[in-house]
Amino acid sequence: MDIGGTLVKLVYFEPVDITAEEEQEEVENLKSIRRYLTSNVAYGKTGVRDVHLELRNMTMCGRTGNLHFIRFPTQAMPRFIQMGRDKNFSSLHTTLCATGGGAYKFENEFRMMADLELLKLDELDCLIRGLLFVDRMGFNGHPECYYFQNPSDTQSCVKKPCTLDNPFPMLLVNIGSGVSILAVYSENNYKRVTGTSLGGGTFLGLCCLLTGCETFEEALEMASKGDSTNVDKLVKDIYGGDYERFGLQGSAVASSFGHMMSKEKRDSISKEDLARATLVTITNNIGSIARMCAVNERIERVVFVGNFLRINTVSTKLLAYAMDFWSKGQLRALFLEHEGYFGAVGALMELLKPTDDL
Amino acid sequence: MAECVGVDSNTSGHSMDKSITLPPDEIFRNLENAKRFAIDIGGSLTKLAYYSTVQHKVAKVRSFDTTAKAPNDKLYEISVQEEVTARLHFIKFENAYIETCLDFIKDHLVNTETKVIKATGGGAHKFKELIEKKLGLNVDKEDEMTCLIKGCNFVLKNIPHEAFVYARHADSEFRFQTANPDIFPYLLVNIGSGVSIVKVESEDQFERIGGSSIGGGTFWGLGALLTKTKRFDELLQLASKGQHTNVDMLVKDIYGGSYGCLGLTGDLIASSFGKSATADKEFSKEDMAKSLLHMISNDIGQLACLYAKLHNLSRVYFGGFFIRGHPVTMHTITYSINFFTKGEVQALFLRHEGYLGAIGAFLKGAEEDNPNQYSWGENYAGSSGLMSVSPDMNPMQRARSGTFDMLEMDRLERQLVNLPLLQDPSSYIPDTVDLTEDALARDYWLYCFEDALDGVVKRAVASQPDIPEAVVRAEKFRQKYRHKLLTLRHQPFAYGSLTVRSLLDTREHCLNEFNFPDPYSKIKQRENDMALKHYQRTVESLDALSWEDRQFALVSGVLAGNVFDWGAKAVSDVLESDPGFGFEQCALFFVDNSGVDIILGVMPFVRELLSRGTEVVLASNSGPALNDVTNGELQILTERIAAMDPVLQAGLQEDRLTLVQSGSSSPCLDLSRLDKVLAMVVRERQTDLVIIEGMGRAIHTNYYATLSCESLKMAVIKNSWLADRLGGKLFSVVFKYEVPLGKVHHNGATLMLS
């Protein structure tokens, strides 16, 4: 599992090649957990299994099985730990591999409440390992990776699958609650270039304050219906058109939320407009920082991952556009279907390392 | 991006305050001769610029006709003449007063040939009609960014302490940068409603290399939505009281502590507003405003660093309404830059940042006057100083209405350049003690100047005995200067680093302001007369001495007119310690006082140098300051002495003795701002010795100055506090002889003798 600032990502490998011998040895407890996880798509009020992401009949460290992807809010961690105690996880003689900040933050609670020892793993190590693994495995026969063709044209912009052969070097932009930007030169050679605190958490946090919404889905739904130009001040709002002296298009955003300096305008906009503006502001800013890092690090391939991009085509398309437009076609934005789950996959791989006799 | 137009009703046009009456003595001065107007209308403030000529009195000296039959007992006559000098006026006021101000200008604008007013800023088009109607001038719009850059270049070149580093918790919050003569290339990050990042490579070459839509408008707009607070200033006030940790998700909120292996501390913000994604909690306005401020400042700082790194630039200036005079934002931006560059790049701010657009627009309109061909100097008497109207600094002035901020710059008669002999112009600091950093010294000197004020006022009145209203003017001078001292007590950084030099210069500016151009002229005249009568005898007695005795007598003569008894042997030891001393190609001598000092001290010394074959360049002030000898006076004195002294006569005739002016009218000496002609002469003559004499020039300003040639600094410490500081006694003598490292085996000696 990957315990982030907002979401916990849990991947569960369900072996389908269990021998009769194994079946017999397996404790009842484990069976009941498997049944619970694989037969439900929702857990409690907030846990969700992303069925569409399930990787079927895949081979992982010599075993064949299905990989399940489950997420729930970090706020629900105490309840999860409680469940671990109730279901007596500690009797399973298995290790819970955990990454993300929560692996450290909740370590004590796991130990005290559920008698569980966490195997803590570095989140960036896990992220890269998991990403490269899933990309190699592919997505049930399809490529894991995609990009947008004609990103500058909203009419003809289409999602295209692609492969990440020769992935190095790549700039990896992980957008969770905050953002980390890594320059990856090989599976084990990477550095964190920078990060920004303006990430998914900022989008959701601001949206909640501005619109009263409560969930990411709700915020995105509103954003999809809004118009950010009612909120943002564009170049043409200031110059009447393009700012030619500096080659700025009239349609470029000059000041995010700039119209909101005026009371009149504040009174006339909708919640949807505000949600959209928040989304566009955060996305453009990430694009801008990622682009600068790519140029400074001399890397042309920019891979965006993280749960901020989940069901968020507004942002993926905007990022694709921003990379292409501001670099004059030099940079390409790439995306991965399993957006936010790579850290958890990377942690799982540690568990399945064949050399260990766990 | 452009500064936004004021949009909240309280700052926009329809609530114009016409009730204020403008004090004509104080603002919009010298309107009678004003020409070449420019205006920069921003979101809430208007900046007006104009060029004007100022008539003021100057003291001139004129030699009496020596062939006249009736012998005159006076050496020269002093006359006070009217002189016209050029001055730039910049006035900043709230947009609410724009109509009142335009009316005022119209009423006072007597005879101007001006037809056009240059305009820039986001509000220029909004007020276009009003300006055209009121002033009868055509509004000619200029590109905002071009104006900004032009203005920036101008202040960086002409105002020595323009740029500063902000350190909120340090002893002195404002650390002014030494003026580097080479201002290019630099990065200007202008934070208006959006952010523009501009790389400036030369006077005319600049490029917008990037920007961001997250800027001051985002803070204001988003802040207004979140906190229901309308005004930008109020939002900043809220932010300064808030706790961002209630709203932001920190690294420790995710990790429980720090993220050790990446070196991310627990207090670092992982996700701005990351804690506000919940419906069941209320957040305070203050906390949200603070979080927003951090988010925006960090973001801008990060981008600025990325661009600075990409273009390999280390000088990054920040400006725009987001920054302007707000310690809160200067602090957060500074913090961000420090964080992202690990201290490699410093965030720099500008003292006159608010005026850049107006200055640039003005310069665009004044191109035919070639303003860039001249050197300009900030007039301390007519300028308000940094943050004089800032509520943070000056809560008494919080009643904002009617607060005007002013900047006046005088066109200097001479173009000023570096002394070519400075070892490292970029690290040269023309001040020995920075009073902004040294609180003890500051208190002492401010008290000193306050204490001496009565005497200065008396002297000023006495210098104009035939003019009854001089008393009134002198009283005005007293008020003005006292007010300056008071301001400096509260805001020592108001005019850049506070130094003894700036205190002296401010006093001179204030005296000039009230038409006391040369309070010491008569005293100087009398003393020169007297000293001249003793010249011949002094020279004769010097000639009678042995070499060693003569050297000692000469040096002590320069220092104090033979008054003080101090270690003769020590001086000749110093002089003899370098076998080359006295065999220089050419000596540049910065002289000090009139009277005994110049005539019986310096001149015999010059005579000695000349007779050894060393050429001499005598540099004296262009304009009067205290009892310092001016170039005009020195011309006459030298002629007179030459008439009785064949050595000097020959020196003049053979062009081995040259008189130049320093370009300064200060009792101090800034070697980075000297007359261009002086620099040329210094180069031509291959000057290899610089002599600096007197407290103001050798102690207050250049005690630590390093030159690329031999130098001799001589002064008598006439101030017991300073003597104490330097480790000596009152009336100690400083005799500092330095040879640049590597030139000679021996690198000088300092004597301090009582």
Side-chain angles (χ1 to χ4, degrees), chain B residues 12 28 90 182 258 318 364 420 456 481 517 548 589 592 603 623 629 636 666 683 702 715-716 722 727 747 750:
Chain B
S12 70
F28 301 117
F90 303 97
D182 233 350
S258 65
F318 287 84
K364 284 290 276 184
V456 178
Y481 190 58
E548 185 174 313
F589 200 137
D592 187 21
M603 283 306 187
V629 66
I636 296 168
S666 160
R683 240 185 250 110
N702 290 298
V716 177
L722 188 64
N747 67 349
T750 304

Side-chain angles (χ1 to χ4, degrees), chain A residues 3-6 75 100-102 104-105 122-124 177-179 192 194-202 204-206 208-210 213-214 233 235 238-239 243 245-246 248 253-258 260-263 266 269 274 281 285 288-289 291-293 295-297, chain B residues 1-2 4-5 7-8 125 143-146 193-195 198 206-208 211-214 216-218 220-222 224-226 230 247 249 252-256 259 261-262 264 269-274 276-279 283 288 295 299 302-303 306-307 309-310 321 340:
Chain A
I3 311 166
T6 312
Q75 280 178 335
Y104 298 81
K105 186 180 176 182
D122 179 75
E123 64 173 301
L124 299 180
S177 313
V179 182
R192 184 178 188 273
T194 188
T196 165
S197 70
L198 283 83
T202 315
L204 186 55
L206 279 175
C208 289
L209 291 173
L210 293 172
C213 72
E214 290 181 29
K233 196 174 264 191
V235 168
I238 298 172
Y239 294 98
Y243 190 8
R245 174 73 181 78
F246 289 129
L248 286 175
V253 183
S255 174
S256 297
F257 287 84
M260 297 299 93
M261 290 184 278
S262 140
K263 185 172 187 316
R266 282 201 295 274
I269 38 98
L274 287 173
T281 301
N285 190 60
S288 175
I289 293 172
R291 185 178 62 85
M292 284 305 296
C293 291
V295 176
N296 270 335
E297 301 297 324
Chain B
M1 200 62 44
C4 66
V5 186
V7 271
D8 269 307
H125 68 271
D143 173 67
E144 207 172 320
M145 199 55 72
T146 311
S193 46
V195 180
V198 185
F206 63 90
E207 185 192 354
R208 185 187 190 274
S212 167
S213 67
I214 299 183
T218 315
W220 193 347
L222 201 43
L225 287 169
L226 291 171
K230 287 182 201 161
V247 183
M249 188 182 282
K252 67 179 172 204
D253 292 322
I254 302 176
Y255 274 82
Y259 183 2
C261 62
L262 286 184
L264 303 178
I269 305 171
S271 175
S272 296
F273 287 90
S276 65
T278 164
F283 296 92
M288 289 189 289
M295 175 181 107
D299 192 54
Q302 181 171 27
L303 276 172
L306 286 167
Y307 280 103
K309 188 180 167 200
L310 184 65
F321 82 74
F340 285 108

